[in-house]
Amino acid sequence: MKRIWWLLLTTLVLAAVVLSACSSGQATPAPQQESQQQTQQEQATQPPQEETFTFGMLLVGPYNDHGWSQAHYEAGQYVEQKLGAKMLYVDKVNPADRPGTTPEQLAEDLVSKGAKLIIFNSDDMKDAALAFAQAHPDIYVIHASGDNAWKDGKDYKDIPNFSNVMGKMIYGKMIAGCAAAMTTETGQIGYLGPLINDETRRLASSAYLGAKYCWQHYRQKDPADLKFKVTWIGFWFNIPGVTSDPTQVADDFFNSGYDVVLSGIDTTEALVEAKKFADQGKKVYAVPYDFKEACQEAPDVCLGVPYFNWGPLYMKLIQDAKDGKWQSTFIWAPPDWKDINNPDTSAIGFEMGPALSDEASDAVTNFIDELANGLNLWVGPLKLQDGTLYLKDGEAATDQQIWYLPQLLEGMEGQSVPQQ
Amino acid sequence: MKPRWENLAFATAAVFVALAFTSLVLVTAGASPFEAYWYMLKGSLGSWSKISDVLVAWVPLLLATAGLLITFAAGLWNIGVEGQIVLGGIFTTWVLRLLQDSTLSPAFILILAIAAGALGGALWAALAGVLKVFGGVNEIFGGLGLDFVAVALTLWLIFGPWKRPGIGSMSGTEPFPKELWLPTIPGSRLSLWALFIGLVSIAIVYFLLSGTYFGLKLKAVGKNPRAAYLLGIPTTRYLMMAFVLSGLFAGLAGAVQVTAVYHRLIPAISSGYGWLGLMVSMLINFQPAWAAPVTFFFAALNIGSIQLPIVLKLDSSLSGVLQGALVLSFLLMGGVRQRWLKKHQQEASDD
Amino acid sequence: MEIELRHIHKYFGPVHANDDITLTIPSGSIQGLLGENGAGKSTLMKILSGYLRPDAGEIRINGSPIEMHSPADAIRFGIGMLHQDPMDFPPMRVLDNFMVGYPEGLLLPREEARQALLDLSAQFGFSLDPDAYVESLTVGERQQLEIVRLLWLGAQVLIFDEPTTGISAQQKEKLFAALHRLADEGKTIIFVTHKLEEVEILCDQVAVLRAGKLVGEAKPPYDLDALVEMMFGKVVTKGERVSAPLGKPVLQLKNLAVESHRIRIAGVNLEVREGEVIGLAGMEGSGQRQLLRACAGLIRPVEGEIWVDGHNLTGKPYHDFMRHGVAYVPAARLEEGLVPNLTLLEHMILADEQRGLIIDRQAALDLTKERIKTFNIRGRPHSTIESLSGGNQQRALLALLRPGLRLLLMEHPTRGLDMESAIWVWQTLKRRCREEKTAIFFMSSDLEEILHYSDRILVFFSGQVSEPIPATETDIEQLGQLIGGRGFNTPEEATP
Ligand SMILES: Nc1ncnc2c1ncn2[C@@H]1O[C@H](COP(=O)(O)OP(=O)(O)OP(=O)(O)O)[C@@H](O)[C@H]1O
Ligand SMILES: [Mg+2]
């Protein structure tokens, strides 16, 4: 039983020797595809006339997760198609799924296969993205979410080959809030929040602003009669024993008079529970998040879904990189107000759900038009949850003020800062 | 001379069975097995930088396996090894956090932190040991429970008291400053210090189990606790020591993960090396001499398999299939070999 | 069924354990099998019962050759074997063990099985509690369980590998009666033993093995001396009774009471002196084992005190007793005495004094070789313990005892040893008594052994303990009656 390991090891070592010999020499005893690949690579390394641009993408989740990662993956495919570029990707880039590897290491692997630009698609990869960008000044780096390339941001780092992109989901959330306000009969809207940070506060508050506006202006009701409660579960998805159980949280909402629940988390518990209650004869609804087709899981109770469309954003940055016009930028892109669901132009969209009544959907459409025409809900007078002044009367919030929102807004129920 | 060839034949057969099975899976997934193996080989040993990446992954796996060999010698299934790695990581992080702003020299802080990691793993293992030895809780169940608690504890720390400024995130705690990383060979991620810890550890375990009274007594306790007791061995103490030592090496694995690989505490700090170590231990039939090469091979599979999704659009968990298939087919061949030996006993020699 | 073994060969590495054995066993007879330790008896029987495959040769039943690959096959041919070391499942209940191997269907007829178990044990006078756990049974009781199990499975050929080592004279009589009855019913019995008197009263013919070869066969009336010579190649005699001079007290029991879930013994007062040998007689399970274990600290007494060499060790663990020079030799060799999978060498290292942290392999090897030689163990330093024959395992067990012991507590010290070895073992034990002033406290189911080697005898009857009887003042007859309960007070009178 023992000797075999020497044999195995010797074979491995021999193979390694042969391999390195191959990569330096020309004779390649590998299968054909391999040699094709190799020639492609060699072409890529020598400056050719018209090369196909290769970019790499690191996805935090599975490429087909019906959520965040899939949206990025599809955007990559979109760029491949539109630009004739070539995408290399690794999915499930997280230490649980790929033990013993780091995003930097994987990014380097992609570079060794010819990638000139690497997209890191998660906030979790922030450190890796920065470290990688600094270690590889010749490779362009895009970090989706994050603010390190934002000159006016709090964490600005001057790295010429590093850019941030993000869609202005605040608009998606406002529209979602409006759909909820137009639908609720009890005047109580629940928000199923993930963990508490700048981003999630900003999104929950946007949903509240949208809801309040439509409640007040379209339904002609007193904002004081609108209850808007945020319950944070503690993470983007359920981790038994660590987070609150989102199923339980959704149930509690529905059981205590909240008839619409907006989801801010990655999974669809709100929708699933709404369906369960609806099947028992209750009139309740939900709004999922992230993924364009999320409503399909329970169309009867789905009011619509705000989603990201990364394609046009990546398209622009990759085009720039390819043309040699790259500049380190921070992009926080609003929707294309001409048609927020235009896949070629709009970074943020809202897909209306089958459960949205005709009346309500007219109102939502109207609301979108108003936004398109310059309606700004982030305008004073607005107070923070604890009553301190956030925006003076008539004062419009700056991007920084919105990005780094310190608390929830007055009128919202729920925790503003995580307890220690 | 004969049994040598016989063993070789059976081992080769086992490898072939595993490869055949994995190939079948690959073909079913619509890929060429040869290509897949080729890329995995290239992705793990194809260049010096790949080899150094393999070595980075090798050290913690080797440490976890070294620890497990001790509990296995005592007849214990230390399923709690995962949790012990995690606690090693937590303790290391804790000490680094406490001291990172102090004026102590980074080298001293690192030594303290790594020692704390070993201590953390040992304590967590001792807990499983107490449950087993004094509480009568089977170490498999106790260990599973403690694994779960350890992971929950990490998550709580990362999203609670140790969260990054502003945002708790799956990416773990704030990375430590570069001075508190185990120094690496320039241009690679490999730390010779980590490598040194790993090699010394496996050497110690090898020696402990093969050359000392302690190892032999542990073995006796593992194989027949009642007889061991009558032979004068304090069985409970030895069982506890097995747990503690095993946890110590697992804790070191966690410490290496923090100081040499991730440079912070992350939710999946154990990287599943505990489970992998259990597999390796079974594969090598609990023989310490084989731990180093086989864990290297497994680490190479882990690193090499990254090529599968990148190049072939295959799921990299296929390397797990190969690892699992290897273990199973070796166990299978072990059984076949026994039956065969029974038939041909005159060819077998005793030593 | 008539069994024919033809030209059977079996090798274990270099050991030729069965060397061209040809033997015919007529239907309905009781065949005896004799031979010194390691002669190859168990090997031959394992081949016949499907546990081992012969390297050459064939087995015929009623004239036609058969192929067996497993014990299950053998049972299908009607061959069942009772092993030298019981092969049962200790953590399970008696009834579950009884039903293991029941072939038909998945649904086990529990009630039927329970009834069968009770009926069969009643037939043989065994008292087996279907709901007790097997680990709580004595070696003898576990053998009983195996016997009824095999009968229930419908074995036509029953192989008994040294079945009488663990059971008392009365149980033995019942067993023998049953064996006669089974033979009369046409069943074929093979009976492996070291005891000539058993062959004499039981066997219709006997075969003798030596060093793997069949060296002779005999029919009654037997010439016992000739048989002994066949077995050992020489004449063997037991020698005279010897006693060592007695010294100061080593072990003192003061009003000791010990309780286990099945039995309670109380009020034991005894003083054992240096060089003294005390034999414990009684039916299996009458409390001897409990008393022995209590004297080693393996069971905590419920009352009274145990003093060793003037130290009160009551309630202390076994390891404290060990430190005072007490050693315990259990009957269940492979379960309590030895560590399966470890080699002889490793056993010697474990049993020997620890010197430093690192094992000196060379010194250990030399020691092992020396012990192998003095204890005449058929095996090599690197043989695993379970590859030794039963008798050789027993020798190994005795070889592990350190020199200079104060008190030696032994369950069945010569269990499974052949005559010559048993004599030799007692010679060495007696030498310990004489030269090292060791006191010996032992139990045995062999009354002759007790009578021949003890200075004083304690007789146990369902938890009651007799006064010590000087061995010279009693005989087998009297002991037999005491063991059966005659001469003991009835329980009512016994309670104070
Ligand atoms: N599994 C094994 N591996 C190696 N050698 C073995 C094995 N089993 C038995 N032997 C050897 O074969 C020989 C015969 O053993 P066997 O058990 O048949 O003897 P036996 O006649 O039953 O002796 P005893 O009276 O002591 O029980 C011994 O030398 C023993 O060491
Ligand atoms: Mg035998």
Side-chain angles (χ1 to χ4, degrees):
Chain A
M1 181 103 28
K2 301 178 175 173
R3 273 96 210 159
I4 185 57
W5 287 113
W6 290 121
L7 186 81
L8 240 170
L9 215 70
T10 339
T11 324
L12 275 174
V13 170
L14 272 177
V17 171
V18 171
L19 258 173
S20 8
C22 287
S23 40
S24 51
Q26 291 309 315
T28 306
Q32 287 113 8
Q33 269 132 322
E34 156 67 9
S35 43
Q36 262 176 25
Q37 184 103 24
Q38 196 120 27
T39 37
Q40 257 179 26
Q41 244 173 272
E42 269 152 32
Q43 274 170 12
T45 42
Q46 293 146 15
Q49 319 79 315
E50 180 45 35
E51 59 182 297
T52 48
F53 188 83
T54 305
F55 66 97
M57 188 183 288
L58 301 180
L59 302 164
V60 69
Y63 70 93
N64 54 357
D65 67 352
H66 294 273
W68 180 261
S69 287
Q70 184 164 357
H72 286 267
Y73 175 70
E74 283 173 5
Q77 283 184 321
Y78 172 88
V79 174
E80 266 189 316
Q81 200 189 1
K82 291 271 163 169
L83 211 60
K86 181 172 157 26
M87 170 169 69
L88 299 168
Y89 74 93
V90 196
D91 66 345
K92 298 196 268 180
V93 179
N94 62 72
D97 281 319
R98 303 225 180 274
T101 61
T102 55
E104 293 103 301
Q105 185 179 337
L106 297 172
E108 277 169 23
D109 199 299
L110 296 185
V111 168
S112 77
K113 293 194 168 49
K116 295 270 177 295
L117 177 150
I118 304 287
I119 298 169
F120 293 77
N121 96 324
S122 158
D123 188 46
D124 289 352
M125 301 181 203
K126 182 171 105 182
D127 307 309
L130 287 170
F132 178 80
Q134 276 164 330
H136 300 267
D138 54 329
I139 303 294
Y140 304 113
V141 174
I142 303 175
H143 180 215
S145 70
D147 56 355
N148 302 91
W150 194 10
K151 281 213 176 61
D152 305 321
K154 284 181 182 170
D155 273 326
Y156 176 64
K157 301 227 162 50
D158 183 11
I159 309 170
N161 56 328
F162 182 88
S163 289
N164 285 121
V165 292
M166 191 71 185
K168 276 199 165 159
M169 183 45 85
I170 49 173
Y171 291 110
K173 288 289 181 179
M174 287 179 203
I175 299 165
C178 179
M182 295 313 295
T183 308
T184 178
E185 283 170 13
T186 60
Q188 297 182 334
I189 299 171
Y191 191 95
L192 186 59
L195 46 92
I196 308 176
N197 65 27
D198 293 341
E199 179 194 358
T200 58
R201 271 196 293 264
R202 177 201 321 148
L203 295 182
S205 300
S206 299
Y208 170 67
L209 288 175
K212 192 174 78 168
Y213 182 82
C214 293
W215 179 258
Q216 193 175 2
H217 292 92
Y218 298 166
R219 291 186 72 175
Q220 313 291 348
K221 298 200 181 196
D222 181 358
D225 293 339
L226 179 67
K227 271 184 107 175
F228 191 101
K229 180 175 170 183
V230 184
T231 303
W232 308 102
I233 64 161
F235 198 57
W236 295 99
F237 47 81
N238 183 30
I239 307 173
V242 177
T243 61
S244 325
D245 182 359
T247 300
Q248 191 59 47
V249 173
D251 284 0
D252 288 348
F253 273 135
F254 292 133
N255 279 326
S256 49
Y258 292 82
D259 59 351
V260 182
V261 172
L262 302 171
S263 173
I265 65 174
D266 279 354
T267 43
T268 54
E269 282 85 353
L271 201 59
V272 172
E273 290 311 288
K275 171 105 168 66
K276 222 170 71 188
F277 278 77
D279 287 347
Q280 290 162 9
K282 282 207 172 188
K283 289 192 77 176
V284 297
Y285 305 91
V287 179
Y289 180 40
D290 264 357
F291 181 58
K292 197 171 176 181
E293 276 144 44
C295 274
Q296 282 171 5
E297 196 162 336
D300 307 345
V301 292
C302 188
L303 297 181
V305 54
Y307 63 90
F308 286 102
N309 179 30
W310 301 93
L313 298 175
Y314 287 153
M315 182 76 179
K316 178 188 176 308
L317 286 171
I318 293 172
Q319 181 80 57
D320 283 354
K322 192 181 169 195
D323 299 345
K325 288 189 253 164
W326 171 278
Q327 268 186 325
S328 171
T329 56
F330 168 79
I331 299 179
W332 193 17
D336 175 7
W337 290 115
K338 286 200 257 330
D339 174 8
I340 61 167
N341 287 321
N342 183 341
D344 295 325
T345 54
S346 188
I348 295 295
F350 185 86
E351 186 86 7
M352 299 219 200
L356 197 64
S357 70
D358 290 345
E359 196 191 333
S361 92
D362 288 346
V364 171
T365 312
N366 196 21
F367 178 61
I368 295 172
D369 285 346
E370 280 202 71
L371 289 171
N373 291 325
L375 170 68
N376 186 358
L377 298 183
W378 288 90
V379 170
L382 274 180
K383 283 183 178 168
L384 294 176
Q385 201 185 32
D386 65 359
T388 50
L389 190 65
Y390 173 54
L391 295 171
K392 288 198 291 278
D393 199 1
E395 178 192 3
T398 63
D399 274 358
Q400 283 83 348
Q401 277 174 305
I402 299 175
W403 186 274
Y404 301 113
L405 182 70
Q407 288 178 31
L408 296 180
L409 298 176
E410 191 180 52
M412 300 171 76
E413 230 184 284
Q415 242 180 294
S416 263
V417 280
Q419 69 216 23
Q420 273 302 342
Chain B
M1 281 298 105
K2 257 183 181 170
R4 208 166 268 198
W5 289 111
E6 196 181 284
N7 289 340
L8 194 69
F10 276 106
T12 319
V15 171
F16 269 102
V17 169
L19 282 177
F21 177 76
T22 317
S23 302
L24 205 70
V25 174
L26 282 165
V27 168
T28 321
S32 145
F34 184 57
E35 225 184 319
Y37 297 142
W38 175 252
Y39 281 120
M40 280 163 82
L41 194 61
K42 219 177 116 174
S44 54
L45 303 174
S47 69
W48 157 242
S49 96
K50 299 280 186 212
I51 292 175
S52 76
D53 280 346
V54 171
L55 290 175
V56 169
W58 180 49
V59 169
L61 177 59
L62 182 63
L63 283 166
T65 309
L68 283 169
L69 289 171
I70 297 176
T71 29
F72 272 121
L76 296 166
W77 281 77
N78 183 14
I79 301 291
V81 59
E82 278 280 313
Q84 290 145 27
I85 300 174
V86 171
L87 262 284
I90 289 178
F91 270 56
T92 303
T93 309
W94 187 33
V95 168
L96 288 177
R97 287 178 66 89
L98 278 180
L99 302 179
Q100 61 181 344
D101 300 323
S102 74
T103 52
L104 298 173
S105 83
F108 184 64
I109 296 177
L110 273 171
I111 290 171
L112 277 185
I114 291 171
L119 178 73
L123 285 178
W124 207 245
L127 213 55
V130 168
L131 283 176
K132 156 92 182 178
V133 175
F134 302 105
V137 179
N138 184 306
E139 77 273 14
I140 294 180
F141 301 124
L144 273 179
L146 287 170
D147 284 348
F148 191 77
V149 174
V151 171
L153 185 64
T154 334
L155 289 170
W156 176 71
L157 286 168
I158 289 174
F159 290 106
W162 292 355
K163 76 175 163 43
R164 312 184 65 159
I167 330 143
S169 121
M170 223 37 183
S171 65
T173 60
E174 188 76 10
F176 293 111
K178 278 234 166 59
E179 312 83 74
L180 292 181
W181 299 13
L182 274 185
T184 53
I185 302 175
S188 86
R189 276 173 285 271
L190 177 63
S191 159
L192 285 181
W193 290 104
L195 201 58
F196 175 77
I197 293 175
L199 289 173
V200 168
S201 297
I202 191 67
I204 289 176
V205 169
Y206 174 81
F207 179 69
L208 208 58
L209 293 182
S210 63
T212 64
Y213 282 99
F214 175 79
L216 182 58
K217 288 183 177 180
L218 212 55
K219 222 159 109 182
V221 171
K223 302 237 188 269
N224 189 347
R226 284 162 77 185
Y229 183 76
L230 282 185
L231 281 168
I233 302 168
T235 41
T236 48
R237 194 190 322 154
Y238 270 74
L239 287 176
M240 281 307 294
M241 286 203 281
F243 271 114
V244 166
L245 276 178
S246 178
L248 190 140
F249 288 110
L252 273 180
V256 165
Q257 289 278 83
V258 169
T259 54
V261 183
Y262 294 111
H263 311 297
R264 75 189 106 174
L265 184 64
I266 59 168
I269 193 69
S270 78
S271 293
Y273 290 144
W275 304 120
L276 211 51
L278 285 165
M279 292 227 290
V280 172
S281 306
M282 283 192 275
L283 177 57
I284 60 178
N285 200 19
F286 317 114
Q287 303 291 313
W290 297 97
V294 178
T295 46
F296 181 83
F297 178 62
F298 272 49
L301 278 179
N302 264 10
I303 299 298
S305 67
I306 298 294
Q307 299 305 313
L308 298 181
I310 299 178
V311 185
L312 298 175
K313 305 275 174 279
L314 288 170
D315 200 296
S316 64
S317 55
L318 278 165
S319 76
V321 171
L322 182 54
Q323 290 168 343
L326 269 174
V327 175
L328 286 179
S329 58
F330 261 80
L331 293 180
L332 183 80
M333 279 300 154
V336 172
R337 180 167 160 271
Q338 296 258 278
R339 302 197 84 175
W340 190 84
L341 276 183
K342 267 195 177 166
K343 281 192 201 169
H344 302 262
Q345 225 134 10
Q346 68 268 42
E347 284 157 322
S349 116
D350 267 9
D351 38 22
Chain C
M1 287 200 305
E2 185 191 73
I3 302 286
E4 269 177 274
L5 296 163
R6 294 170 63 92
H7 306 291
I8 302 284
H9 285 270
K10 182 70 190 175
Y11 297 83
F12 292 109
V15 179
H16 203 161
N18 283 169
D19 184 356
D20 197 31
I21 293 178
T22 298
L23 182 65
T24 304
I25 304 162
S27 187
S29 71
I30 303 181
Q31 167 77 49
L33 195 56
L34 283 169
E36 60 183 339
N37 290 134
K41 307 179 292 295
S42 297
T43 303
L44 188 64
M45 293 303 105
K46 282 179 187 163
I47 287 171
L48 180 53
S49 60
Y51 282 89
L52 290 176
R53 283 168 56 79
D55 295 325
E58 87 184 355
I59 299 169
R60 297 183 181 197
I61 292 183
N62 294 336
S64 46
I66 56 163
E67 272 284 320
M68 291 186 294
H69 300 279
S70 71
D73 277 359
I75 273 286
R76 242 168 274 133
F77 286 114
I79 303 174
M81 171 156 173
L82 184 82
H83 283 265
Q84 195 166 359
D85 291 287
M87 291 192 162
D88 45 25
F89 304 90
M92 285 168 50
R93 289 178 193 279
V94 167
L95 183 58
D96 296 319
N97 256 285
F98 182 67
M99 293 167 68
V100 164
Y102 185 79
E104 279 130 57
L106 287 170
L107 269 180
L108 297 162
R110 275 191 87 81
E111 275 319 301
E112 206 180 295
R114 175 186 295 270
Q115 202 48 51
L117 171 64
L118 292 173
D119 288 350
L120 281 167
S121 5
Q123 260 181 50
F124 294 105
F126 305 154
S127 56
L128 290 170
D129 172 6
D131 298 315
Y133 280 96
V134 171
E135 52 202 344
S136 73
L137 303 188
T138 60
V139 174
E141 286 168 326
R142 291 164 74 162
Q143 287 179 331
Q144 294 172 0
L145 173 59
E146 271 297 287
I147 294 173
V148 293
R149 188 179 77 88
L150 290 175
L151 286 175
W152 188 55
L153 285 178
Q156 290 298 308
V157 178
L158 281 164
I159 302 169
F160 292 86
D161 196 355
E162 300 184 33
T164 55
T165 45
I167 61 182
S168 66
Q170 277 73 9
Q171 287 168 329
K172 191 151 93 179
E173 263 170 41
K174 281 196 183 125
L175 171 66
F176 285 5
L179 292 186
H180 277 303
R181 195 165 64 231
L182 288 169
D184 291 343
E185 283 170 16
K187 299 206 162 95
T188 308
I189 311 285
I190 306 177
F191 192 85
V192 180
T193 186
H194 290 293
K195 294 173 187 152
L196 292 176
E197 63 276 13
E198 290 177 4
V199 171
E200 211 169 8
I201 50 177
L202 195 66
C203 298
D204 299 319
Q205 70 272 339
V206 68
V208 180
L209 298 189
R210 190 165 85 227
K213 290 198 178 65
L214 183 71
V215 288
E217 289 186 76
K219 281 188 167 298
Y222 298 110
D223 176 350
L224 296 186
D225 292 337
L227 284 179
V228 169
E229 217 175 322
M230 262 193 246
M231 281 161 72
F232 301 106
K234 63 179 179 214
V235 185
V236 176
T237 50
K238 221 171 193 172
E240 284 304 300
R241 261 193 71 92
V242 284
S243 277
L246 303 187
K248 57 183 190 277
V250 176
L251 175 73
Q252 285 165 291
L253 306 179
K254 299 180 180 169
N255 196 30
L256 193 72
V258 183
E259 221 171 47
S260 74
H261 63 288
R262 304 196 315 169
I263 206 135
R264 177 189 162 93
I265 47 178
V268 182
N269 286 293
L270 185 71
E271 198 173 86
V272 184
R273 298 167 64 185
E274 285 177 335
E276 191 174 24
V277 179
I278 298 213
L280 309 185
M283 281 209 259
E284 188 76 356
S286 301
Q288 311 94 301
R289 191 153 166 264
Q290 279 72 17
L291 183 65
L292 273 184
R293 297 208 156 217
C295 291
L298 291 165
I299 301 182
R300 194 181 278 268
V302 290
E303 242 178 67
E305 289 175 0
I306 302 171
W307 293 66
V308 174
D309 270 337
H311 302 276
N312 185 353
L313 295 184
T314 318
K316 293 271 164 46
Y318 173 60
H319 291 171
D320 284 353
F321 281 76
M322 272 184 100
R323 249 165 259 134
H324 283 92
V326 179
Y328 194 86
V329 179
R333 293 184 288 252
L334 284 181
E335 280 148 35
E336 282 191 288
L338 303 167
V339 184
N341 274 318
L342 292 196
T343 62
L344 259 177
L345 172 68
E346 288 173 316
H347 276 85
M348 294 300 166
I349 299 170
L350 284 173
D352 198 27
E353 200 88 48
Q354 174 168 345
R355 291 177 204 88
L357 294 174
I358 296 159
I359 298 168
D360 181 347
R361 290 256 158 204
Q362 196 50 51
L365 199 59
D366 293 343
L367 176 81
T368 308
K369 281 185 181 148
E370 180 205 309
R371 295 271 175 91
I372 285 178
K373 217 155 131 209
T374 35
F375 283 81
N376 192 20
I377 300 169
R378 293 239 180 119
R380 281 165 296 160
H382 290 287
S383 311
T384 55
I385 212 74
E386 68 272 20
S387 75
L388 301 182
S389 82
N392 282 303
Q393 288 170 5
Q394 187 70 18
R395 291 175 207 219
L397 195 59
L398 296 169
L400 295 181
L401 294 172
R402 288 189 198 169
L405 292 170
R406 297 295 294 153
L407 175 64
L408 194 45
L409 303 158
M410 312 180 91
E411 296 179 20
H412 304 286
T414 58
R415 172 170 174 247
L417 291 186
D418 61 39
M419 246 165 70
E420 190 195 22
S421 316
I423 292 168
W424 179 82
V425 161
W426 271 112
Q427 275 171 1
T428 59
L429 290 176
K430 284 282 185 182
R431 192 179 314 129
R432 280 175 184 267
C433 295
R434 221 172 31 245
E435 292 168 8
E436 302 173 4
K437 300 203 171 105
T438 309
I440 294 179
F441 210 16
F442 80 100
M443 62 184 271
S444 171
S445 50
D446 183 344
L447 285 182
E448 279 200 39
E449 182 180 24
I450 290 186
L451 207 55
H452 195 81
Y453 296 109
S454 311
D455 295 310
R456 289 188 292 166
I457 299 166
L458 296 183
V459 182
F460 286 67
F461 174 70
S462 67
Q464 296 180 62
V465 188
S466 74
E467 286 299 310
I469 307 164
T472 45
E473 290 168 22
T474 184
D475 55 22
I476 296 247
E477 198 89 352
Q478 194 199 358
L479 287 180
Q481 289 191 346
L482 277 170
I483 286 169
R486 259 166 292 169
F488 276 95
N489 299 330
T490 57
E492 287 83 36
E493 285 164 324
T495 40

